[in-house]
Amino acid sequence: MICFVTNGSFIDGNAADGMRKTLVDEFSSIYVFNLRGNQRTSGETSRREGGKIFDSGSRATIAITLLVKNPAKQTPGNLHYYDIGDYLSRDQKLAAIEEFGSVAGIPWRQVTPNARHDWINQRGEDFQAFQVLGDKRGKDESPIFATYSLGLSTNRDAWVYNFSQDELARNVDRMIDFYNTQVDLYEDAIHAGAEPSEALEVVSNDAARISWSVNLKKDLMAGRRLSFKRSRVFRGSYRPFTKQHVYFDKDLNERPGLTPRLFPTPDAENRLISVTGVSASKPFSALMTDSLPNLDRLEKGQNFPLYYYDEADGDQSGLFSEKPGVAGRYVRRSAITDDTLVSYRDRYGDSSITKEDIFYYVYGVLHSPEYRERFDAELRKELPRIPFTEDFWAFSRAGRELGEIHVNYESQTKHPVTVTNTHSSPDSAEALRVDKMRFPRKDKQPDKSAIIYNKHVTISDIPLEAYEYEVNGKSAVEWIMDRYQVKVDKKSGIKNDPNEWSDNPSYILDLLQRIIHVSLETVRIVNALPPLDEKNLDYDSDPASAIEA
């Protein structure tokens, strides 16, 4: 008999399916008491998780596990599970444990694991028959998209992202200058007879002057000197509805993934459907962008493009077009596969369907409340799969409409709210400058019908319905409040000021009103989506065969 208290991520985590299988195979009885408390989530999900069992000592789910082994028993183990419940404080959880008194006092629920070794949030079979968005494992699944990518991981966001393009250039330039001095110091030490490990000791780790990473240290040891390239300053989508300038270059980006194929140059046109990644702690989300996505734009986000770019062979020229064309040294190709186009035209008997129509159809389906609710367990643990719904055009038109307002959010209509401005020059940069927005308090609770923009400006009459539109675990309105504040990175001392993004002093105030409009419109479009009513496809166990049927 073994009993232990651990991080409880193994209960439902994708990476622990082998562990769950082994426990059931090896032990005759398994008892798992889930105490929740996962504070790596946010919003309502975080509140449901309740108090942290070890206070500040833990942010993860905590579980008590009891394993009983009977060598005489040859059948799979009996799995007993108990979930402490939603919204409980730490003290309430501890009181419940004390009240149960023993294992015998707990109202266990017996669980039968499925074929994928899910214990809770078990996946069904219907989802597996749908066409997968992408497949990098070569399983012959005939995916919808020919390629996709994680967002950009730099390992030094404070240095290579900034609302101010000039500030970004200064930060990158001074770090590169300092890096080159460290290359000189390292090489001097090597020439003096030091071993590489000894030579590294002379290299400065001053976080106010440089941010080291594994690859940058390798470059230093290889004697590579760097130079600032202004042509590598791109416009990036850092968080939902938040753009910043980014230095997009392999020299200072630790893991660019396949993003160079999506945005090879600053003026390369593209649109991406970003979706929450596998095993993310936040609820599933999808959000379109036309800018270079950061890794954490959506948690563990994967990005499915309308186009991807290959380097051209020889001297070719041409214009951007839906057909393969060339932009400078790059050929633009549609990321929707030819097989997918054929299957959609055949399925719906409509030769007018284009790859772009399918792209927006996918975006529409991913916003379906029915889709997200029915396949919640699946979307937690694997990439989305897309069914053939009864009404292709309803979802494609809705997806296109959603895409337009989500990509072009900065030019949307401003929702009419009441703006109170007490500054003597209400249109001046001083009057409209943002440090940190907040909600006023009403009966000790935040009053979300109003926002204190700064000490001069207050916004009121915000419809609460706007907060129904959530992405990556937070309402779009609250993303603006969270990201559009002046921040100073503790390690580097670098200041990132959202007031520097635009020459228009009212940009952030206008943006907030536009996002309220975007939120209300999104809620309207989503609520008007029809039922999925998947067509009778006679799916078999092989999704590729179903597509070819």
Side-chain angles (χ1 to χ4, degrees):
M1 189 177 294
I2 306 168
C3 187
F4 49 83
V5 180
T6 64
N7 179 316
S9 61
F10 74 91
I11 296 172
D12 198 32
N14 253 21
D17 53 358
M19 176 183 176
R20 291 192 295 270
K21 177 183 184 300
T22 301
L23 290 177
V24 173
D25 289 346
E26 293 291 327
F27 293 90
S28 51
S29 294
I30 303 104
Y31 298 84
V32 179
F33 192 132
N34 186 351
L35 290 166
R36 308 278 284 276
N38 182 5
Q39 293 305 312
R40 292 190 174 94
T41 56
S42 63
E44 194 62 26
T45 301
S46 174
R47 288 186 283 274
R48 279 200 301 270
E49 286 291 306
K52 297 178 285 189
I53 291 298
F54 297 108
D55 289 331
S56 59
S58 67
R59 293 185 61 213
T61 299
I62 300 297
I64 303 172
T65 305
L66 175 64
L67 306 172
V68 181
K69 186 155 189 172
N70 180 356
K73 188 173 181 180
Q74 301 301 316
T75 58
N78 293 318
L79 175 61
H80 308 273
Y81 178 76
Y82 182 77
D83 187 325
I84 193 71
D86 295 339
Y87 302 109
L88 297 179
S89 68
R90 173 181 182 271
D91 290 342
Q92 288 173 314
K93 293 177 182 181
L94 296 178
I97 294 173
E98 185 174 8
E99 185 176 346
F100 287 138
S102 71
V103 172
I106 299 173
W108 299 103
R109 174 169 68 90
Q110 189 151 342
V111 173
T112 302
N114 64 12
R116 296 180 183 83
H117 314 296
D118 297 331
W119 286 2
I120 61 175
N121 299 316
Q122 293 189 359
R123 289 167 282 182
E125 296 302 318
D126 289 350
F127 193 73
Q128 300 306 312
F130 304 155
Q131 190 178 7
V132 71
L133 284 188
D135 176 26
K136 291 182 179 177
R137 298 181 182 179
K139 290 185 176 180
D140 262 337
E141 293 202 35
S142 298
I144 295 175
F145 291 85
T147 189
Y148 63 99
S149 177
L150 282 168
L152 175 63
S153 174
T154 74
N155 278 32
R156 51 181 64 83
D157 283 3
W159 289 89
V160 299
Y161 278 95
N162 208 283
F163 283 106
S164 166
Q165 188 169 353
D166 290 341
E167 187 66 20
L168 170 69
R170 283 191 290 270
N171 292 335
V172 173
D173 200 29
R174 69 185 176 90
M175 190 179 100
I176 287 175
D177 285 346
F178 185 72
Y179 162 84
N180 289 333
T181 66
Q182 301 310 295
V183 174
D184 292 339
L185 289 175
Y186 177 83
E187 290 188 340
D188 289 346
I190 292 293
H191 292 152
E195 293 294 322
S197 59
E198 296 173 328
L200 282 175
E201 293 179 5
V202 306
V203 174
S204 172
N205 292 312
D206 185 354
R209 305 186 74 178
I210 195 166
S211 175
W212 289 108
S213 60
V214 172
N215 288 339
L216 194 59
K217 278 282 178 73
K218 288 180 180 178
D219 286 343
L220 173 133
M221 296 175 74
R224 284 194 67 232
R225 285 166 175 78
L226 307 182
S227 60
F228 175 71
K229 311 178 191 86
R230 187 164 290 276
S231 64
R232 301 310 297 172
V233 176
F234 285 58
R235 181 166 290 199
S237 182
Y238 190 67
R239 292 293 184 270
F241 304 107
T242 306
K243 292 178 183 176
Q244 295 189 39
H245 301 288
V246 55
Y247 190 68
F248 183 38
D249 187 80
K250 59 183 177 59
D251 290 341
L252 295 182
N253 299 159
E254 190 73 357
R255 293 182 181 86
L258 295 178
T259 51
R261 295 190 75 190
L262 310 185
F263 292 98
T265 64
D267 58 353
E269 294 180 8
N270 212 344
R271 287 193 176 188
L272 317 177
I273 299 174
S274 305
V275 300
T276 307
V278 174
S279 299
S281 60
K282 295 180 175 62
F284 177 81
S285 296
L287 185 62
M288 196 176 291
T289 184
D290 62 353
S291 302
L292 179 71
N294 180 267
L295 176 66
D296 292 318
R297 178 176 183 259
L298 299 186
E299 187 185 4
K300 301 179 181 178
Q302 298 282 1
N303 302 279
F304 295 86
L306 181 58
Y307 306 114
Y308 66 95
Y309 291 82
D310 285 330
E311 288 201 48
D313 295 325
D315 293 328
Q316 297 174 297
S317 62
L319 298 173
F320 288 154
S321 66
E322 185 168 350
K323 297 178 181 179
V326 179
R329 44 186 284 236
Y330 297 98
V331 180
R332 191 179 81 175
R333 308 185 190 280
S334 173
I336 303 292
T337 65
D338 292 340
D339 287 347
T340 296
L341 178 62
V342 170
S343 68
Y344 271 78
R345 286 178 172 178
D346 287 349
R347 183 62 59 187
Y348 292 100
D350 188 344
S351 61
S352 71
I353 292 174
T354 66
K355 291 184 176 183
E356 189 173 290
D357 294 328
I358 296 171
F359 180 78
Y360 289 110
Y361 170 83
V362 168
Y363 199 53
V365 170
L366 292 176
H367 278 84
S368 163
E370 178 193 350
Y371 176 82
R372 294 188 181 190
E373 182 177 347
R374 279 178 56 191
F375 304 114
D376 175 67
E378 288 81 1
L379 293 171
R380 292 171 186 263
K381 298 176 180 178
E382 55 189 287
L383 286 177
R385 292 172 175 268
I386 304 299
F388 290 109
T389 65
E390 182 67 27
D391 192 338
F392 171 85
W393 286 111
F395 282 97
S396 184
R397 285 191 294 268
R400 190 180 292 271
E401 192 174 359
L402 287 167
E404 289 302 320
I405 63 173
H406 293 164
V407 168
N408 299 311
Y409 64 88
E410 293 170 293
S411 60
Q412 295 301 301
T413 301
K414 293 190 291 183
H415 183 78
V417 295
T418 300
V419 178
T420 304
N421 190 333
T422 60
H423 197 278
S424 57
S425 302
D427 296 327
S428 66
E430 180 184 354
L432 298 173
R433 177 179 173 78
V434 165
D435 288 314
K436 183 176 181 178
M437 291 179 262
R438 61 185 176 86
F439 292 118
R441 308 290 290 185
K442 185 176 182 180
D443 298 328
K444 299 183 179 179
Q445 296 296 322
D447 177 10
K448 294 189 176 183
S449 68
I451 293 173
I452 298 174
Y453 183 82
N454 61 27
K455 63 182 181 181
H456 307 291
V457 179
T458 300
I459 303 167
S460 55
D461 298 323
I462 301 171
L464 296 181
E465 186 184 5
Y467 296 95
E468 293 179 18
Y469 174 47
E470 293 191 354
V471 58
N472 207 36
K474 191 182 298 182
S475 74
V477 173
E478 288 168 290
W479 272 116
I480 302 302
M481 296 175 67
D482 176 71
R483 301 314 307 182
Y484 285 84
Q485 59 175 290
V486 179
K487 294 186 177 182
V488 177
D489 181 63
K490 292 181 180 179
K491 291 183 178 180
S492 64
I494 290 174
K495 183 178 181 180
N496 198 1
D497 186 347
N499 299 283
E500 299 295 324
W501 174 254
S502 173
D503 292 333
N504 178 6
S506 68
Y507 171 84
I508 300 174
L509 180 60
D510 293 344
L511 176 64
L512 188 55
Q513 296 173 71
R514 297 185 204 280
I515 291 299
I516 293 171
H517 171 80
V518 167
S519 299
L520 294 171
E521 282 297 286
T522 300
V523 170
R524 177 189 65 78
I525 296 167
V526 166
N527 287 344
L529 285 170
L532 297 179
D533 285 338
E534 303 100 301
K535 297 175 75 70
N536 182 13
L537 302 178
D538 296 325
Y539 285 135
D540 58 21
S541 59
D542 180 2
S545 298
I547 291 165
E548 293 167 2

